[in-house]
Every structure is written in structure tokens, then in C-alpha cells.
Amino acid sequence: MQAALPPQTDDELRSFLDDARLGLRLVDPDGRILWANGAELELAGCLERDYVGHHLGEFFVEPGAAAEMLARLAGRQGLSGFETCLRARNGTIRRVLVDGQGLFRQGRLVHSRCITRDVTSLFEREETARRRAEETSRLQEDFLALLSHELRAPLGTVLLWLGLLKQGESDADETRRAVEIMDRSARTLEQIVEDLVHASRIAAGGLTLTLERIDLVRVVQQAVDAALGDAAVAGLQLICSAGTEPIWVLGDAGRLQQAVSNLLANAVKFTPAGGRVDVCLDVRDPTARLRVSDTGEGMSSGFLPFAFGRFRQQDSTSTRAHHGLGLGLYVVRHVIEHHGGRVLAESPGPAHGSTFTVLLPLADEEAVRLRSPVEARAEAVLLRPGLKVLLVDDEDDVREALTRLLGQHGAVVVGAASAQEARVVLQGLLPDVILSDIAMPVEDGLSFIRSVRQLPPERGGRTPAAALSAYAGTEHRRQALEAGFDEHVSKPVQPPHLLAVIARMTGAPAIARRTG
């Protein structure tokens, strides 16, 4: 086998240099270009006659760049990653890095050999990443400021009215009015937290669905019924046209109702008094189509592509007329897309209203023939009289409220303010169910339930248990179940959901009534 040899002739060497993908050139001590390979000519956008023989300074954007390079080369410093901008004949500017060394004979510079690397795309990517990081940082700062404002507003209202009620000078009507206002403010806070939790789950890829055959007409009607009060307060007409025939889809009823509620809340928020919100549900085979239209503020063509973005608001200034975090439509889009559907936004422009259209695939015939689990759950649960509940929570107000709630449904509740106290209670009480907070001082609920699971069955080691926690993420639920809890219930606790969970853990409800 013949050994590989380096170029044997000047022509072979010149061909090798001409084909190199890095720009190469020779420059005399005065800066005149003596030779350049094909890659260098391509960077300069020149033919050889338009480049060779010309001064180096003609092709650099910065006036002093050529002089500085020549001075370094003449001073034997050489060039290593010298950053500058090369201007091509057609005006295109390329970001380049130049390496070079001078060739000296008898102490005199004969010429310099330079290598030019085009790093334009690299710098553009870095610049794009920098701008994106700056924009992300700005959005985070804006969001934190916005979140602080949105939380303080309803919280301030609650505290103000509580202060007035504590003075004891309010009559019955004023007290009733105060309770209504505080209730709305509390629900506003709850909605903010829910939006944040759902947005966090979506961003982390943790949005889960419990799919079942559901009647979309019923889901939409429930959302509309819940929004009627807000629409009335805002002085709006809320008209629903959904028909009476079921429209069956495979979906998560809770998630879909949340998506519809978000669309309605958005329409009510941005429609001035005297306006109208129309909800229309029909079938356009093979999809169910929901349209929510309003006569409100509308959207500009520039904002429409970002209508479903996270933290996006058409007006995010401090003088905006509407509150909110810009998460409602973001949640809508992801919930609908997780159901295999689409949601579209349309608007003729500002002051001309908006229309949001949701398209969901219909359930196939086999699914329609199945009995809906939603229908099976159309019962309000009553707990078994005398059901013994051990309630563990370090917050006195929470224990008091849940004790009263469960007591109204026939349960006998024993409260404990800590894991240690709960273990003492367990020595004298064998409860039917344990409800425990997670985040508690000294010892948390995870450690507590692990210790319970180590007890023998006759001392409560297998007692059904549910975690009650403000930590509502998928990972927190997994940790609770792995620790030994049978269920995970997110705070703020919804009474019907909590009762259903207790009934499920303690077996089928002994008493139940139809709710319609």
C-alpha cells in the first residue's frame, strides 16, 4: 500500500488552500492584499480582481480595524480571535474572527498570513439568546409585580371589610353586603391560585385528564349558570344556545368546564355594561363546536397571534382597565389541545368584539353506548352517621371550619394540631378515616402517615387517609401517595369533592340523594 504524501507541487498546495472552507489571505506590510483563497473571496463577495491588490481597510466596517491588525502583525504580536466586521461588496456585513502571523526575514516583515472565520450565525444565535433571556427576565419582573398587585387588591378588600365588621357598628344589611364582597374577593384569590397551579402543571407537562363520556351540553350549561351572576353584576346579557339533545365527547368534565368558564370570564371582563355575550354549542361533523362571542373591546390584529400566550395581555400597562394575570386563555388552549381539539380567536379589531371557537372531536358510537360515569356521580354524598374522622392540621381556623363541615354531614371529628398530637389521639381512638395536612412544623404529614403505616391494623395502621395540602402539583401528589396516603386533596378544599373522597375511601356511601 502506497504511503500518503503531502502536496508535492505548488499547484497541489494552492489547490488545497483554495478549497479550504476558512478564509485565507496574504497581506503585505502596507496592508495590500497579495492573495486570497476562494472562501475569503466568497466572504468579501468579490472576484479576485476586485479583492487582490486592494487595501485591507476597504473591506472592514470599523475605520481603525485594519490599522490595528497591521500594527499587531508588524510588532510580532500576531492575531488570535481578533473580532471585527467585514463588509462585502454588496453591502452585507459579516461578523468575523481573524487569526494571523507575520513572516519575517532578516528582521523585516515580508508579509502576513491571515485566517478569517465567519462567525455571523454564531453571534446571531448568541444575540437572539441574549435578547430572549432579557425578555424573559423582564416578563418575570413584570409578572411578579402584576401578581403582587392582583393578590393585594382582593386581599386588601377582605381585610378592610373585616376591620369594619370588627368595629361592631354594621347593621344586618351592611354585614350581608360585607360578606358578599369578601366572598367575591376570596373567590378571586382562589381563581388566581388555580390559574397559577394549572399554568405551572401545563408548563411542566403535568396536566392530566380523566377521560370519560360526557355530555358537552351539560358542561357548557353548568359553566354558563355559574357565570350568570358575574354577567348580571357587569350589566351584560348572557345568552346560551346549546339545545337539549346531548352532544357526547370523550373528555375530562372538570377541565372542560374550567376551559369554558375561562372563556366566559374573559368575555364578561372585556365587555362593557349594556353589552352581550353569546354562547352557541352545535355539531359540525365530526366535531362539537362551541362559540363564545361578545360585543366587547375586541383585539388588534397584532395581538391575535399572542392571545393564547402565557402572561399575555393586550394592555399590560399600569393604567389598564382590567385586572388579571393573562393565564386564562393560556389554560384554555392547552386544556382543549389535550382533548385533541382546537381553539381559535377572531376579532374584527378594537371595539368590535371577539369570538372564540372551540372544536372538539365527538365520541365514537361505541363510547356513546356506555353509561357515563358523570351520570353515575350525579349524587350528593352524605357520610355515614357517626363516621369517626381524625383531622390533623396546624391551622386552627382550618380545623374549625372542616370540623363544622364534616359535623354537618354526620361525622364525629377529633382534631390534632400536630403529628405528635395525632399519634396520641390514635392511642385512644381508632378512626374510620384520617385527614392530614402536609406542611406542618416539626414533623410534616408525610412523616406522620409513614409512622401510621408502620402500626399494626388493629391500631390503625391501615386506616384510609387523605392528604389535604396547598401543594397541588403532580409531583406533590405522587409524594403523598408514595408516603402512604390513599388520596390527595388540594387546598382550598371544595366540600363536595372532600365528601366524595371520604365516601370513596370508606366504601360506597351509605346514604345518597339525587341532585338532578
Side-chain angles (χ1 to χ4, degrees), residues 257-323:
Q257 185 171 338
Q258 175 195 18
V260 178
S261 294
N262 283 7
L263 289 176
L264 293 174
N266 185 77
V268 170
K269 179 193 296 186
F270 292 103
T271 303
R276 174 171 170 149
V277 177
D278 287 285
V279 180
C280 179
L281 177 63
D282 57 16
V283 173
R284 291 290 185 271
D285 286 336
T287 62
R289 183 182 68 169
L290 170 67
R291 291 168 62 86
V292 177
S293 304
D294 63 66
T295 59
E297 296 181 6
M299 292 177 282
S300 66
S301 58
F303 180 73
L304 274 174
F306 306 104
F308 297 101
R310 184 170 50 166
F311 309 132
R312 289 286 189 169
Q313 298 184 76
Q314 185 162 229
D315 180 8
S316 58
T317 66
S318 61
T319 58
R320 70 191 189 280
H322 306 288
H323 299 296

Side-chain angles (χ1 to χ4, degrees), residues 114-156:
C114 298
I115 301 173
T116 308
R117 289 177 286 161
D118 183 4
V119 292
T120 305
S121 60
L122 175 62
F123 272 83
E124 288 176 347
R125 288 196 297 270
E126 289 182 348
E127 180 65 17
T128 299
R130 183 186 65 79
R131 287 198 299 267
R132 186 179 295 117
E134 290 176 351
E135 176 68 8
T136 299
S137 177
R138 185 189 66 79
L139 288 175
Q140 287 177 342
E141 291 177 0
D142 290 349
F143 169 70
L144 289 175
L146 176 62
L147 176 60
S148 175
H149 175 271
E150 293 298 314
L151 290 173
R152 287 175 184 272
L155 185 59

Side-chain angles (χ1 to χ4, degrees), residues 388-390 426 429-435 449 452-453 455-466 484-486 505-506:
K388 291 178 291 185
V389 178
L390 171 57
L426 275 174
L429 171 75
L430 188 60
D432 297 304
V433 65
I434 297 172
L435 305 178
I449 197 63
V452 171
R453 294 304 180 225
L455 297 174
E458 63 273 13
R459 292 179 55 197
R462 295 183 183 177
T463 303
F485 285 104
D486 301 288
M505 289 193 300
T506 56

Side-chain angles (χ1 to χ4, degrees), residues 1 38 55 285 329 457:
M1 179 177 178
H55 192 275
D285 286 336
L329 295 181

Side-chain angles (χ1 to χ4, degrees), residues 419 423 438 442-454 483 485:
R423 273 193 286 270
I438 295 294
V442 183
E443 182 180 357
D444 64 17
L446 300 181
S447 174
F448 167 65
I449 197 63
R450 291 191 189 102
S451 68
V452 171
R453 294 304 180 225
Q454 293 175 0
F485 285 104

Side-chain angles (χ1 to χ4, degrees), residues 3 28-29 44 50 59 87 91 99 120 139 151 175 208 211 220 223 227 267 279 292 343 353 358 360 390 407 433 514:
D28 73 9
D50 299 322
F59 302 96
R87 180 187 287 113
D99 300 309
T120 305
L139 288 175
L151 290 173
T175 300
T208 57
L211 297 179
V220 170
V279 180
V292 177
V343 58
V358 174
L360 288 169
L390 171 57
V433 65
R514 297 289 298 182

